[in-house]
Amino acid sequence: MLFRRRARMLRWLVCGRPGPVWMWKALLLFVAIVFAGQLLGVIFNKSVQPAARSIFSSPDAQGPSLGSCQPHTHIMFLKTHKTASSTVLNMLYRFGEERDLRFALPLGYQLGYPLPFNAHRVKGYRGPRAVEFHIMGNHMRFNKPEVEKVMPADTFYFSIVRDPVALAESSFAYYKEVAPAFRKAKGLGDFANDPRKYYDPRLRNNHYARNLLWFDFGMDHNANFSVALAQRGKAMIRRAFKLILVSEYFDQSMILLRHALCWPLDAVVSFSLNARQQKPSSVGGIGGSWVGKAAAAAAAGVGGRGGRLQAKSVPNLSLTEDQREKLRQWNALDWYLYKAFNKTFWEEIEKFGHAQMEQEVALLRTRRDDLARVCLRDGGKPVEAQRIRDRNIRPFQSGLVKILGYELHPGLDNATRTACLRMIRPEIQYKDVLDFKQFPRVAAAPAPAQAGQQGGVAAGGSFLRADSSRTAERAMVGGEVGGRTVEEGGRDWDGSRLKKNNQTLTEGGARIR
């Protein structure tokens, strides 16, 4: 009945003549459009939402104003061992990749370490200042005259140090199977009680067991301690480096670095990379910092899957206060450097202003939490590598401890996913990505795949070598002597033939120093 009544009304509207025909046809068309709009839920039932902006393009990404300064783009970072330096290198990689800067990349995965750095170990090096390199940051044993051949005159040099006791704990856990001095000891406390019982300076990789910071800065780590020697070493470092960061105060270090480089806030916001799984009650070092807390949280939350590494006993890192003091004495040169640069670090903060530092550190931490909520699964906690579904972002494993990584949230938009991926991409894979971008024809050559390995494209569409993890593990842990840096019979930038003699590269019979 109702249907018939509406049909008669419609015929009256169309056929009746109460006014101009075109008016009624227009009205009928309008009614039809409104009805269709209601069905689609566009006009009346659903508002049109603007495209969501990526969190990385928000005003918070810039941070507090830095005035009229210009960002530094010529940067040399001495990547010291076991000092949260992998996290710092990730920042440099991200900053450079986003701005298409050129990296001074190694031929393998380290710049000739543990040999003193030589310029010809940089891929694409063609002679002093022949090519403009913007950023250098892979592991090397510092040798400034050679670095100056590669990097421009206005390069900003910086590095990072750590309490030698905490560094020894991390080094022992990471290099237990690599350094002969550590391999022989039952635990770190056993080594600390009598280091000379286990330490032979002639054995390769034993540099990881004594004055590792002093060694990385290019000096003789086996020299007998004297105040005069330590002062000369400190003076050399202060002349070469404009800023020395302190691992235990990582967030404060990032604020100082941001202002020194004139970088946006997001450039120094990071997630802890290459962190090892540790007990929540970790003693000393960055165990009490956000880096250590993140790793400890992961250790508390991981499941008990039976893997190859879990079958081995975790190194005993427990130390008495007496043993900690013995490690300071054994690493006396490192201890002197740490105390000296911890002092200059706080002098820099005093100049900066404690109140301003507290405000900016709070902003940095809030921003890190915001990015973690957007980017990371599992509440932002690092997880075991075997739990990471995407194999291309799994950190490689070394030693008897587990190195942790991250997983991204699913469903991120492309821009956000790309930015998040850069923040969690492990060092080895990131180096391969940058290498492929700078040298596409060289990197694209198919590498012979090992059994059980496959090459392919990394997350985000980036190239990844088939054997990157295993090759990188050998290079990163065991050094590159006789590895993938310079093969005997190869040629330097000027065409002269390189030879290897007693693990020292020679050029035309003369030593390269």
Side-chain angles (χ1 to χ4, degrees):
M1 191 70 179
L2 181 62
F3 177 77
R4 292 176 181 174
R5 186 178 302 168
R6 289 186 177 180
R8 285 197 300 271
M9 183 180 296
L10 183 61
R11 284 197 300 271
W12 180 83
L13 285 172
V14 176
C15 302
R17 296 283 186 259
V21 175
W22 64 266
M23 180 184 296
W24 293 105
K25 289 185 177 180
L27 179 61
L28 181 61
L29 180 62
F30 175 76
V31 172
I33 291 174
V34 171
F35 182 68
Q38 287 179 321
L39 289 178
L40 295 174
V42 173
I43 297 177
F44 295 99
N45 297 334
K46 188 177 181 181
S47 61
V48 178
Q49 298 291 334
R53 294 178 58 189
S54 170
I55 189 173
F56 291 93
S57 61
S58 71
D60 293 339
Q62 295 299 313
S65 173
L66 296 173
S68 59
C69 63
Q70 295 298 312
H72 279 276
T73 56
H74 292 146
I75 301 155
M76 190 277 164
F77 171 55
L78 179 62
K79 188 177 186 293
T80 50
H81 285 78
K82 317 317 299 173
T83 56
S85 61
S86 291
T87 303
V88 179
L89 182 60
N90 174 268
M91 299 175 193
L92 298 178
Y93 278 169
R94 284 157 36 202
F95 182 86
E97 185 187 15
E98 289 166 4
R99 291 158 181 82
D100 293 322
L101 302 182
R102 177 174 287 272
F103 292 86
L105 296 173
L107 297 170
Y109 289 91
Q110 302 186 90
L111 291 164
Y113 193 87
L115 293 179
F117 173 72
N118 276 290
H120 60 255
R121 297 186 183 278
V122 173
K123 191 170 184 178
Y125 176 71
R126 299 172 186 168
R129 310 288 171 79
V131 177
E132 181 185 13
F133 290 99
H134 296 94
I135 297 176
M136 172 183 279
N138 293 85
H139 276 307
M140 69 159 66
R141 192 176 184 198
F142 189 62
N143 183 1
K144 190 175 183 184
E146 290 295 311
V147 172
E148 289 176 331
K149 293 180 182 179
V150 180
M151 299 302 294
D154 64 346
T155 295
F156 183 94
Y157 289 73
F158 77 102
S159 188
I160 186 168
V161 297
R162 185 181 181 186
D163 179 349
V165 175
L167 192 152
E169 292 171 352
S170 183
S171 185
F172 189 88
Y174 200 80
Y175 301 116
K176 179 73 166 70
E177 296 184 318
V178 173
F182 289 157
R183 190 164 56 237
K184 296 174 184 177
K186 296 178 181 178
L188 182 57
D190 184 40
F191 175 82
N193 285 333
D194 189 3
R196 296 188 185 278
K197 175 182 176 182
Y198 304 104
Y199 183 80
D200 184 344
R202 300 168 298 178
L203 296 181
R204 181 179 172 186
N205 290 331
N206 262 351
H207 64 279
Y208 292 118
R210 189 180 193 191
N211 290 315
L212 184 52
L213 289 173
W214 193 270
F215 182 88
D216 286 351
F217 277 105
M219 298 177 284
D220 181 8
H221 65 129
N222 286 312
N224 292 325
F225 177 84
S226 71
V227 174
L229 174 64
Q231 288 177 338
R232 287 197 301 271
K234 180 186 74 171
M236 183 280 290
I237 295 172
R238 293 196 68 170
R239 286 194 301 270
F241 294 86
K242 295 182 180 178
L243 181 63
I244 300 294
L245 310 177
V246 178
S247 179
E248 283 78 5
Y249 307 102
F250 192 85
D251 290 343
Q252 293 87 345
S253 293
M254 293 302 99
I255 299 302
L256 291 181
L257 182 65
R258 173 179 181 256
H259 281 261
L261 297 179
C262 193
W263 280 10
L265 179 62
D266 270 9
V268 298
V269 174
S270 61
F271 306 134
S272 173
L273 298 179
N274 207 34
R276 75 181 193 269
Q277 188 182 103
Q278 52 190 303
K279 296 180 181 179
S281 58
S282 171
V283 290
I286 60 172
S289 73
W290 73 270
V291 178
K293 287 176 181 176
V302 294
R305 300 183 184 181
R308 184 179 64 86
L309 291 177
Q310 281 191 333
K312 296 182 179 181
S313 60
V314 176
N316 183 1
L317 304 179
S318 60
L319 293 168
T320 66
E321 191 54 45
D322 181 62
Q323 290 168 336
R324 296 170 71 83
E325 182 58 34
K326 287 180 179 178
L327 282 176
R328 293 188 187 101
Q329 294 174 9
W330 174 245
N331 297 284
L333 292 168
D334 275 9
W335 179 234
Y336 184 93
L337 289 183
Y338 178 75
K339 290 189 296 182
F341 288 112
N342 187 58
K343 182 174 182 291
T344 61
F345 177 81
W346 286 102
E347 289 172 354
E348 290 293 326
I349 291 182
E350 190 71 33
K351 295 177 188 176
F352 187 86
H354 287 279
Q356 184 182 354
M357 176 60 72
E358 289 179 4
Q359 292 174 2
E360 296 205 21
V361 165
L363 287 175
L364 182 146
R365 290 172 177 170
T366 298
R367 183 64 176 168
R368 181 190 297 129
D369 291 342
D370 291 343
L371 295 183
R373 280 192 293 270
V374 170
C375 293
L376 305 179
R377 295 171 65 109
D378 295 315
K381 294 186 301 184
V383 298
E384 291 176 294
Q386 66 189 26
R387 293 179 57 193
I388 299 173
R389 296 171 181 82
D390 186 347
R391 297 191 178 193
N392 290 313
I393 56 174
R394 289 180 182 174
F396 79 81
Q397 304 299 301
S398 176
L400 302 178
V401 294
K402 294 184 177 182
I403 307 303
L404 306 173
Y406 298 93
E407 278 207 293
L408 293 179
H409 270 308
L412 298 173
D413 63 85
N414 288 339
T416 302
R417 176 177 169 76
T418 297
C420 292
L421 182 60
R422 285 173 176 156
M423 294 187 72
I424 68 166
R425 181 177 281 133
E427 177 182 341
I428 303 304
Q429 290 94 317
Y430 214 149
K431 185 268 175 185
D432 279 341
V433 168
L434 298 174
D435 192 294
F436 181 62
K437 287 185 175 181
Q438 288 188 196
F439 308 98
R441 286 179 294 180
V442 175
Q450 298 180 9
Q453 291 182 311
Q454 294 180 347
V457 178
S462 302
F463 177 86
L464 185 65
R465 290 187 186 142
D467 61 345
S468 63
S469 294
R470 292 184 182 273
T471 304
E473 183 168 350
R474 291 193 295 270
M476 294 289 287
V477 177
E480 296 194 15
V481 178
R484 300 179 55 182
T485 50
V486 178
E487 298 296 333
E488 184 173 355
R491 294 186 181 275
D492 203 350
W493 62 270
D494 59 358
S496 58
R497 185 173 294 277
L498 295 169
K499 299 179 181 178
K500 201 179 297 174
N501 181 22
N502 294 329
Q503 295 186 349
T504 302
L505 290 169
T506 60
E507 183 176 1
R511 279 194 174 207
I512 300 175
R513 295 188 181 273

